[in-house]
Structures are given as C-alpha cells and as structure tokens.
Amino acid sequence: MPEFRFPVIGHGGDYNPDQWLDRPDVLEQDVALMREARCNLMSVGIFAWSALEPREGEYSFAWLRGVLDRLHAAGVSVLLATPSGARPAWMSRKYPEVLRVENGHRNFHGGRENHCYTSPVYRAFVTRMNTRLAGEFGAHPAVVGWHISNEYCGECHCELCQSAFRAWLKRKYQTLDSLNHAWWTAFWSKTFTDWEEIHSPEPNGETQLCGLTLDWRRFVSDQTVDFVKCETAPIRRIAPNLPVTINTMGFFYGLDYPSFADVVDFVGYDSYPMWGSKSDYDVALETSFTFDLVRGFLNKPWSLMECTPSQVNWHEICQLKRPGMHMLSCVQALAHGSDTAMMFQWRKSRGGPEKFHGAVVGHDMTNRTRTFKEVKATGELLETLSEIVHSETKSDVALIFDQANRWALDGAQGPRKDKDYFGVTFDHYRALSRAGVNVDVIDMEKPFDSYKLLVAPYLYMLKPGAAERLTAFVNGGGALVLTFFSGIVDENDLCFLGGAPGPLRSLAGVWAEETDALYDGQTHKMVMKPGNALGLSGAYTCGFLADLLHAETASVQAEYEGDYVSGTPCLTQNGNVWYIASRPEPRFLNDFYQALLPRAGVTPIVPSLPEGMIACRRTKDGRDYTFVLNFTGADAPVALPAGIDLAAGQPAAPNATLPKNGFAVIRTEQARG
C-alpha cells in the first residue's frame, strides 16, 4: 500500500470551490491568499457531487480541472475527495433505497451521511463516480492522495441491511445453536429457531439482548469498512500509487477505527476541542489523549485533517480561540505524531448550516483579520519545523482503550448505568502525561512486546488470546496495571465462570468476589501499607466502583478504610502486575505512576515537568525532536533538554520561561543510548 510522504508539513484545509463557481474573482483571490498564508495542501471536492454530476449520467469535470490546474501552478497540492458523504437530490428521488431506514421509516432526502452502505444502487453510483474521478484526475500533478468521503457515521435498518446482518452472523457463528449459546438466548425465552427471526436492535424491538446489540455494532463497523473498500477499489485500480485516507473522529462511538487499518494508507482526524470550556490544560490533555488514540490506529504518523482556526458553529457555546491557541494547538498535533495541520474551512460559505463556522477567509473576504494573520504565522512556523515530517513516535508506555470493550461495558445492565469508560481510562492517561512520557493508546489486539509498561484499565471484556498475550508480556519482563471490573466477560459478553478477573486471575493473583457501585459523592479511603513497594504513604480517596478483593498470590500494598470493606485489599502487586481495586483520586495516580515508571525502566522526556505543560518526543534519522507545550495559561519556567530550539532558531536555554501559549521544539543531534 502506498505511503503518504508529503515532503513538508501539510498546511491548508477543506476547500470548496464548487460553492463559488459563479465568482471567478473569488477563486483567483483564493489562490493568492493561500500563497500568502503559506498553505500547501488542500482537500478538494468534499460534498461536490451535485457540481460533478448535476443530473444522472451528466458529468461536469471542467471546473474541477481548472481548480486543480490553478492550485498546482501556485504550488498547492491536493487531496482529492470522493463526494459520497452527501448524494444529490435527484438520486434520492429516483432511487429511494439509497436512503436509510431508522425506527421503521425510510428517511427523507437531507443532511449528510444519510445513505445505506449496503445498497447496491448507492454502491454502483459511488463506484461509477470514483472511477470517473480516478480516470480524470488520478494522474494530475496536483493530486498527492485521496480523501475518501467525509466522517463516516450512522447506521441503516432497511431490509438490505437486515439480510446483510444475518449473513454476517452466519459467517461468524455458522449455526443457530452456536449463536444462541453466545447470546445466551435461553434467558427470557429469546431463543432463535430461524435466521430470519433475527432483527437489528431498535427502540420498537429487541434492545436488551447484549450479544445481539454488541454484534450489531460490530456489523455496522464492518459494513462501513466494506463500503470503504467499495469506494477505494476503482481508485486503487486506476491510480495505485496514490495513498488514501478517511477523516476519523477519534473516540466516536459508532465505529471501531482500528478495523479500518487494511483499507486506508494513513489516518486523518478532525479535531474540535472545546477550548475555554474549562482550563486550557484540561482541554489539552483530553486532546492529547485523542491524538495518541488516532496515532495508534496505524501506529505511524497521521494527519490533522480538520481543526478550526477560530470557532465552530455547533458547540453549545461557540467560543473563539484565544490569541496564540491556534498555533499552539497545531503544534500539539505535530507533537503527537501528525504530519499536517489542516483546517475546516478555507473560506466561509455564504449560506447553509456552516456559514458561521470558522474559516481562514471570512465573509469580509480580506487578509486583515486576526484569524488570517494567525494562520499565516502558523504557516510560516511550520516551514521552519518541516524537518520533523515523517518522524516517528516511540513509546515505552501503552494504554489500552478498546472500542468493543467500551460497547460491551455500556451494554451491561449494572453495576452502574454510567460506566464512564472514557473517563476511567483518561484518569490514567492524565497521570501518565503529567509524568512526561510518550503514551501509545491502543486496542487490545495490538502487539504489546515493544513496551515496558502496559496500562489496561477497566478491561471488562477479554478478546480471544488477550489473557495469554498479557501473560506473555509480563513473563517477558513488562509491567502491567489492571483495575476493577476486569476479566468479567468474553468477546460475546458471556461471563467467565470461576471468579473474576476470569482468565487474568492467576496473573493478577487476586479474586474479585464482588464489585460494589458507589453513589456519586460516596467514597472509601485507600490507605497505603507501611513499607509498600512504591514507597507511598498516607491515604487517598476512591469510589465509583470498588472490588471486594481477596489476595491469593498477590501482596497487599494498600487497604480500604470505610464501610464493610475496611481492611480488605485495595491495591495489590503480583510480581510485575498491579491491581487497583477502585477508582482513585487523581493525586493517587500521579503518585503511583511517578513511583512505578522508574521501576518499569521508563524515563520521562522532561524531568520534573511543571503542572500545565505537555511533553512529547518524535524521532527520525538518529535525532530526537522534543516538544514542550505551555498550557498553564501564564508564562512559566521549565528545564529544557539541550539542543536547538527549531521554533526559536537558537540553542535551547536549559532554564527557560515559556510564554503563555508558548512552546519549544528541540532537536537533539544524538539519539538516546
């Protein structure tokens, strides 16, 4: 599969010239302003189907060729988009099967991503369009890759999808007996006697059969992957040297993005943090968590495909980015492995739902705005940082966030309605980031052997082979952190028999007899035992969920204090395996990882990283590139590593003060030993 090897950091964004075909003066101005803003890469053609095929079988490509010619002449490259994210009205009217069915009713034409991924008619139209696009433009000198559709999402419950779901189930289970056992349909007399009796989960039907709901989510994700294969087939046949991407949405609930690894060449991501909704540091940490998740989909450099240079139009409160935040947030993406900093959108539309969404060029149509000037300054900065392009992120620490585990956990009725899988995993990510180390965020099917520390919180579901691979990791010298409510069910959401944490019981050396749910505001204390292996002292609060734990081969490092669990284990150690039996306060996780990381042989990127700063490192050709980002909201001192600060163009000061929203990007000439 081809690599995306853009020679410099990509800077640009979504460009929609099809909205301005009656204004050639605007199109000419666009090119001049792109050059001024140091833009070098644009996604073109997203949602342009009506302009490309205004009537069935009547194609209009001349305008697009003119745009590509103009951009190429200006030194701007293009990720050419396929327009399947929103089909034209004539198609919906003549071929209603392309529209989704939800809650028993077929949708009207409207919105976007409102089409059936199973529909042979829609697939035929997409194949025909993409074949024509690849034939017309696959060899155009401006085109360096393909942007496939836009933010795949949603599901359809039409009869075509029901049939496809049943076929998917037949391939997985082979027999109804196998399916009935996996779904435990004997409960509530749910047993199926014919494949045709199975229907997707909908509000007016079956919604409480956990295995059915879990498999439906898997099917929807797999069917989306299959649709991407349909989209890319003609492109790969006609223009095989051009890489393809989709723009993902990070922690989006509806798709299992790691399963797209075989159908895309690089990963795009659309990033829209709610800056201003809480402290910049808190927002930045959640954003970093997402960036590291996106990088983990393929475990290689990715592409920031969309961000706003100013504000969005769809948050509850659409606050402007404060001065300096656009540049800092773009550098943050680079720090976590992106090779581009692209925006939505280049120019504000005059009408439609996104006419008030931020853009490089506003309705004033000038270069005099604060936003344009900051985008231009960011483009100039990226030119000075371009040697980092294609550098890799090497991490000694991995944190497991698994989408199927998330789906299964949320489908379980108990022990709490709000499972907060994101929040629990983020608790650990925050502490690891606070300690100043690179973190890979991976699913449980990724390889573990390159890491020194593996953190697997809330591992409710264990996929086939996961327990054996975790055991091999520990036996190979790796350190493993497990938490409450882990090892409960298999991949079909069937509970393991023999006591929790199921197949992890001997590895962790504990038996979790029960898991208690605490009301919000209720807490226990976690009291460290004297002489514990981490050298921690005192007491920490914990709550949310609490395992009633029995130490078997594990040693007790901390005990509960409070309620009936007093004196029972709350933190245990079994060799290199640590088990945290309840959800602790952030202070504990900060102390825990500060003590555990050196035991695991993990060295921080920046020692004594100040609160409110983020440190990351990328590596290429024997050089390290250390990023230190200031999200404290004020000027702040920090001890920087030796080397050349590429952003400042001079040697890094060992005891520096980074300004508010400031950063350093330091090249170290020799890699670590």
Side-chain angles (χ1 to χ4, degrees), residues 66-78 140-143:
V67 168
L68 298 184
D69 290 346
R70 190 179 298 111
L71 292 176
H72 179 63
V76 179
S77 297
V78 169
H140 194 286
V143 179

Side-chain angles (χ1 to χ4, degrees), residues 271-288 291 304 306-312 315 317-333 336 612 614 629-633 661:
S271 179
Y272 295 104
M274 295 177 63
W275 299 109
S277 62
K278 45 191 167 184
S279 79
D280 287 346
Y281 183 52
D282 286 336
V283 177
L285 284 172
E286 292 180 0
T287 305
S288 291
F291 287 165
L304 176 61
E306 292 184 18
C307 70
T308 178
S310 54
Q311 66 188 151
V312 302
H315 287 166
I317 304 295
C318 302
Q319 188 170 93
L320 290 166
K321 280 182 173 176
R322 290 335 194 214
M325 183 52 72
H326 175 67
M327 181 181 290
L328 177 59
S329 60
C330 286
V331 175
Q332 182 186 12
H336 288 276
I614 291 174
L629 314 170
N630 181 11
F631 289 99
T632 64
N661 294 344

